């Protein structure tokens, strides 16, 4: 399981051995000579022997928002350099100059410039596909290609580039399990355009969004949820009238039509929901990424309840034995988790699924995840007080309603 995938062993001769596949892959990618920096026995920190620049700070992240303190220090000290934030699936860099944010980069496809243009309704999906194809063929940047194809103007593009930097910054703040590194310099070639944003103001806005989004997510888990106007003559207040009129399609689609951020649309929808002007419907997930994302909240809740009762380790041990004994789960979950909160990386599961699934991968994945969550819930029932068990089962059933429609599809045999 994943808990051993990143392990290394240092033997008595000082030789490093990779015990897990993830560790082996990471070490092979770093073949060469490295310098061991001085450190306590609990830490091994290596840097390339020919590395240029200084690693000013590094550390683990264990809670969302933990990196805020690092950014606050950088802003107050007017640092120049690169902040790298890494979690299980993503790597994001924020570039600082004199304490101001001048750019950002990400390896997450959903946060790149093309997706930003699409998400804010500047270009259509078909236009984005054309831009990506032309950019790949020519080697030009996505923004430059979009201008060449006359899908956008430079005036349209520049504010969207700033929006993308903001969204990467906010996403870095939300990383709750991973690591950060601060270097004293950055590669200028990573900046297609320099911006000049106050790190302090971005930090305050990011903290506000995280605080508010915690409440929103209790009723609106993601931007695929669909607000539905209630019948009747009840009218919303003037400040919510436009949002009420736009309730056609999911939150992501509303954002594309109005050019608003997901946070802004979600806040308006939440206010309409609180006022009983609308209801919110969960989407039927399509594709493995969406299916895993639909199951993750149930797993997170089960683990959280067992952790609160001091039974989290027992749950995780039982799930590990169950998954290993069933044989099929190990290749499906390889490199995807389970994460400490019990969830799985949706993108990685999707890639693994292509190698192990039968003719109908979506139905096959739903069946497997139903079995896994079902066992987790069964095991939690033996670990929790009876009154907590019933409430947890009811909540999990509610969370999984969107995927239950897929269960009518007959899955093929497993292997």
């Amino acid at each position: 399981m994943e808990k051993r995938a990143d392990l290394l062993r240092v033997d008595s001769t000082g030789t490093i051995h990779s015990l897990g596949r993830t560790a082996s892959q990471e070490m092979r990618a770093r073949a060469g000579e490295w310098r061991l920096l001085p450190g306590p026995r609990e830490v091994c920190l290596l840097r390339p022997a020919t590395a240029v620049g200084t690693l000013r700070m590094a550390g683990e992240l264990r809670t969302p928002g933990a990196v805020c303190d690092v950014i606050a220090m950088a802003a107050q000290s007017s640092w120049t350099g690169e902040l790298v934030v890494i979690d299980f699936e993503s790597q994001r860099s924020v570039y600082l100059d004199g304490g101001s944010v001048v750019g950002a980069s990400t390896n997450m496809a959903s946060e790149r410039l093309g997706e930003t243009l699409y998400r804010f309704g500047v270009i259509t999906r078909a236009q984005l596909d054309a831009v990506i194809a032309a950019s790949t063929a020519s080697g030009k940047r996505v923004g430059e290609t979009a201008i060449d194809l006359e899908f956008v103007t430079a005036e349209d593009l520049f504010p969207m580039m700033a929006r993308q930097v903001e969204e990467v910054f906010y996403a870095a703040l939300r990383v709750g399990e991973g690591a950060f590194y601060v270097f004293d310099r950055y590669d200028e070639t990573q900046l297609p355009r320099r911006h000049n944003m106050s790190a302090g103001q971005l930090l305050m806005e990011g903290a506000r969004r995280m605080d508010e989004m915690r409440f929103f997510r209790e009723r609106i888990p993601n931007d695929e949820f669909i607000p539905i106007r209630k019948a009747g003559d009840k009218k919303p207040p003037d400040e919510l009238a436009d949002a009420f009129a736009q309730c056609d399609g999911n939150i992501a689609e509303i954002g594309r039509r109005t050019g608003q951020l997901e946070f802004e649309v979600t806040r308006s929808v939440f206010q309409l929901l609180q006022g009983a002007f609308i209801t919110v419907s969960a989407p039927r997930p399509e594709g493995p990424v969406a299916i895993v994302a639909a199951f993750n909240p149930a797993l997170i809740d089960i683990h959280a309840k067992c952790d609160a009762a001091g039974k989290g380790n027992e749950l995780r041990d039982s799930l590990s034995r169950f998954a290993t004994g069933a044989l099929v789960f190990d290749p499906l979950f390889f490199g995807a988790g389970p994460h400490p909160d019990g969830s799985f990386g949706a993108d990685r599961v999707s890639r693994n699924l292509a190698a192990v699934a039968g003719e109908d991968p979506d139905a096959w994945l739903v069946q497997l995840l139903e079995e896994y969550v079902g066992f987790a819930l069964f095991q939690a029932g033996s670990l929790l007080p009876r009154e907590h068990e019933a409430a947890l089962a009811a909540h999990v059933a509610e969370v999984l309603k969107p995927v239950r429609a897929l269960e009518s599809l007959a899955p093929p045999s497993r292997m």
Side-chain angles (χ1 to χ4, degrees):
M1 295 297 287
E2 176 66 13
K3 65 181 180 180
R4 294 195 59 85
D6 60 354
L7 289 184
L8 301 168
R9 180 172 61 85
V10 182
D11 65 23
S12 58
T13 69
T15 303
I16 298 176
H17 304 270
S18 300
L19 300 182
R21 186 175 298 183
T22 299
S24 177
Q25 292 171 345
E26 292 291 334
M27 296 302 288
R28 288 200 302 270
R30 291 166 171 78
E33 294 186 357
W34 291 74
R35 181 166 55 94
L36 176 63
L37 275 65
R41 288 182 59 84
E42 294 81 7
V43 177
C44 287
L45 186 58
L46 305 173
R47 294 216 61 202
T50 58
V52 176
T54 300
L55 177 63
R56 301 186 67 162
M57 187 182 297
E60 293 181 272
L61 299 173
R62 293 298 179 89
T63 57
V67 78
C68 290
D69 292 337
V70 179
I71 297 174
M73 180 183 298
Q76 293 167 5
S77 303
S78 299
W79 282 0
T80 293
E82 177 182 2
L83 166 66
V84 182
V85 181
I86 301 174
D87 64 11
F88 296 101
E89 296 181 330
S90 66
Q91 177 171 326
R92 301 176 178 92
S93 288
V94 176
Y95 305 107
L96 301 161
D97 197 331
S100 296
V101 175
V102 296
S105 62
T106 176
N107 68 345
M108 297 296 287
S110 61
E111 297 169 1
R112 290 177 178 162
L113 180 59
E115 288 293 335
T116 301
L117 293 171
Y118 170 67
R119 192 164 61 250
F120 284 94
V122 178
I123 61 176
T124 66
R125 174 57 67 181
Q127 288 174 326
L128 175 57
D129 291 341
V131 167
I132 292 173
S135 174
T136 302
S138 67
K140 292 183 177 180
R141 294 183 183 273
V142 165
E144 184 180 358
T145 303
I147 292 175
D148 290 345
L149 294 175
E150 299 184 349
F151 293 154
V152 298
T153 65
E155 291 74 18
D156 296 327
L157 183 64
F158 187 74
M160 288 297 102
M161 295 175 72
R163 280 284 180 93
Q164 185 215 6
V165 171
E166 292 175 358
E167 291 305 294
V168 174
F169 181 93
Y170 297 142
L173 296 188
R174 294 193 295 269
V175 172
E177 186 75 20
F180 73 89
Y181 304 88
V182 180
F183 298 91
D184 69 345
R185 63 191 65 195
Y186 58 85
D187 183 358
E188 287 279 355
T189 64
Q190 297 298 313
L191 301 180
R193 178 84 64 172
R194 286 180 66 90
H195 302 272
N196 187 25
M197 304 177 181
S198 167
Q201 290 180 5
L202 286 174
L203 190 59
M204 287 190 291
E205 174 64 14
R208 182 182 71 85
R209 289 186 181 200
M210 285 193 295
D211 287 340
E212 293 188 15
M213 198 62 97
R214 289 190 185 101
F215 294 103
F216 301 161
R217 286 303 185 221
E218 292 179 3
R219 303 189 67 181
I220 310 170
N222 58 56
D223 66 358
E224 294 299 317
F225 274 63
I226 303 167
I228 301 171
R229 292 190 290 265
K230 286 186 174 181
D233 298 329
K234 187 177 181 181
K235 294 183 178 180
D238 291 344
E239 62 270 19
L240 294 175
D242 289 343
F244 183 73
Q246 289 291 338
C247 288
D248 181 16
N250 63 33
I251 288 173
E253 292 167 344
I254 294 172
R256 286 193 287 274
R257 287 200 304 271
T258 61
Q260 290 183 307
L261 295 166
E262 177 192 350
F263 172 79
E264 295 165 344
V265 177
T266 302
R267 179 174 55 190
S268 297
V269 169
F270 181 83
Q271 291 171 337
L272 289 168
L273 190 60
Q274 291 288 86
F277 300 104
I278 64 170
T279 59
V280 174
S281 173
R284 170 176 164 171
E286 297 181 0
V289 172
I291 291 170
V292 175
F295 276 95
N296 272 340
L299 288 168
I300 291 171
D301 195 36
I302 293 170
H303 282 74
K305 293 296 190 297
C306 289
D307 285 339
K311 300 294 185 179
N313 289 337
E314 290 94 324
L315 174 67
R316 289 174 175 84
D317 289 343
S318 295
L319 280 171
S320 178
R321 291 193 296 270
F322 170 77
T324 300
L327 300 180
V328 71
F329 288 105
D330 275 356
L332 179 66
F333 293 158
F334 175 73
H339 297 161
D341 63 1
S343 65
F344 290 92
D347 289 336
R348 185 57 185 265
V349 170
S350 177
R351 295 197 298 271
N352 295 342
L353 182 67
V356 298
E359 296 177 356
D360 192 340
D362 281 10
W364 191 80
L365 179 60
V366 168
Q367 179 187 352
L368 288 181
L369 290 178
E370 274 283 9
E371 292 178 9
Y372 186 84
V373 172
F375 181 81
L377 190 59
F378 169 77
Q379 188 64 25
S382 68
L383 300 172
L384 298 174
R386 186 179 298 274
E387 62 273 16
H388 293 172
E389 175 191 355
L392 178 60
H395 183 258
V396 168
E398 183 67 24
V399 168
L400 295 183
K401 276 184 178 179
V403 295
R404 291 277 157 80
L406 294 176
E407 291 178 15
S408 60
L409 302 174
S413 59
R414 291 189 178 176
M415 295 298 286

